[in-house]
């Protein structure tokens, strides 16, 4: 895909949604960190349902520690892998209190050192909480980037590096939100909604799907 086509795709996505953000519900960097960590192999809807009860009780590392592993489990037991996630949330809270004064560090290395936090989670926190031009590649972004030929790669790391290379600076902060939402609601995994896609004429996917097909 050439540079002009990518620019037009990004421009249309921006015009359609000028101020995108995550669909996870949060009000502080710590709430975002917890929500993103809980969202691994789970839907944002299921995470939001759990955190609506969890965050009023514990939305700081110290309050989370007071809740304890069993208390966290009770609040997030509707989410997949909740046992491991609860343990990681408590371990991470302890590290944040011990090493970072109870604050979420604006530092990739420090974030990735937290239990249950990988590169994707760190990218989301740095981008959404702190405004960094990072690009978190999940399954939606991986699929959309490869299917449209916008930024192809054999794994999420390759797609991330390609996106960082080809996306102009003015779009970098928001691009991962646009691509996630596009993959979640339009460029679906099994049956993409090509007939209602705002970038359909620019997409280089050869097997487009339309309502009458």
């Amino acid at each position: 895909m050439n540079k002009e086509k990518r620019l037009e795709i990004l421009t249309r996505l921006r015009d359609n949604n000028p101020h995108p953000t995550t669909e996870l519900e949060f009000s502080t960097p710590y709430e975002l960190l917890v929500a993103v960590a809980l969202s691994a192999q789970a839907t944002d809807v299921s995470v939001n349902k759990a955190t609506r009860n969890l965050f009023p009780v514990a939305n700081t590392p110290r309050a989370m520690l007071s809740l304890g592993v069993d208390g966290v489990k009770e609040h997030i037991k509707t989410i997949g892998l909740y046992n491991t996630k609860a343990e990681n949330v408590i371990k991470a809270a302890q590290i944040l209190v011990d090493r970072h004064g109870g604050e979420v560090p604006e530092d990739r290395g420090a974030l990735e050192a937290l239990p249950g936090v990988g590169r994707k989670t760190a990218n989301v926190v740095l981008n959404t909480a702190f405004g960094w031009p990072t690009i978190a590649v999940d399954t939606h972004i991986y699929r959309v980037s490869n299917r449209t030929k916008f930024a192809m790669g054999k794994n999420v790391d390759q797609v991330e590096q390609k996106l960082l290379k080809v996306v102009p600076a003015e779009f970098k902060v928001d691009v991962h939100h646009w691509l996630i939402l596009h993959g979640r609601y339009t460029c679906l995994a099994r049956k993409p909604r090509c007939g209602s896609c705002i970038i359909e004429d620019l997409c280089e996917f050869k097997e487009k799907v339309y309502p009458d097909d």
Side-chain angles (χ1 to χ4, degrees):
M1 181 174 284
N2 62 43
K3 184 167 71 173
E4 290 73 25
K5 195 178 282 189
R6 288 195 184 97
L7 182 60
E8 178 61 22
I9 286 174
L10 292 168
T11 300
R12 288 188 194 179
L13 292 174
R14 179 176 63 186
D15 290 348
N16 185 60
N17 186 5
H19 305 291
T21 189
T22 178
E23 292 189 319
L24 291 169
E25 296 171 1
F26 73 99
S27 58
T28 66
Y30 180 66
E31 287 186 358
L32 177 64
L33 176 68
V34 172
V36 178
L38 293 178
S39 72
Q41 298 181 49
T43 65
D44 288 1
V45 171
S46 67
V47 172
N48 290 337
K49 187 175 180 180
T51 58
R52 283 172 198 152
N53 294 316
L54 173 63
F55 289 156
V57 178
N59 73 337
T60 68
R62 288 182 176 86
M64 200 68 75
L65 288 172
S66 297
L67 198 58
V69 172
D70 290 339
V72 174
K73 285 182 183 179
E74 191 60 32
H75 282 90
I76 68 168
K77 60 186 179 183
T78 54
I79 302 174
L81 306 175
Y82 74 94
N83 285 313
T84 300
K85 289 177 180 179
E87 291 174 5
N88 284 337
V89 165
I90 291 299
K91 290 175 184 174
Q94 191 67 62
I95 292 171
L96 290 174
V97 169
D98 292 345
R99 301 181 191 173
H100 305 288
E103 299 294 326
V104 175
E106 190 177 344
D107 177 271
R108 177 184 296 283
L111 287 170
E112 291 187 19
L114 297 172
V117 177
R119 183 175 180 84
K120 187 184 82 171
T121 297
N123 276 338
V124 173
V125 172
L126 291 171
N127 175 275
T128 305
F130 300 115
W132 285 31
T134 55
I135 301 175
V137 177
D138 70 347
T139 55
H140 293 301
I141 293 182
Y142 180 77
R143 179 178 68 255
V144 171
S145 297
N146 276 293
R147 180 184 274 168
T148 61
K149 307 293 193 289
F150 187 95
M152 299 178 71
K154 293 181 179 179
N155 54 54
V156 292
D157 291 333
Q158 287 184 10
V159 169
E160 179 186 342
Q161 294 309 312
K162 183 72 172 179
L163 286 168
L164 288 169
K165 182 179 178 181
V166 302
V167 174
E170 65 178 295
F171 298 102
K172 272 201 173 82
V173 170
D174 293 325
V175 67
H176 96 260
H177 295 302
W178 290 323
L179 294 178
I180 285 174
L181 293 170
H182 193 67
R184 186 172 288 165
Y185 296 110
T186 302
C187 197
L188 308 182
R190 295 187 179 179
K191 194 169 184 179
R193 296 169 176 165
C194 301
S196 60
C197 176
I198 62 171
I199 61 168
E200 181 270 342
D201 58 313
L202 302 167
C203 169
E204 296 183 5
F205 182 49
K206 288 184 170 61
E207 300 168 18
K208 293 188 172 74
V209 179
Y210 300 98
D212 295 334
D213 288 359

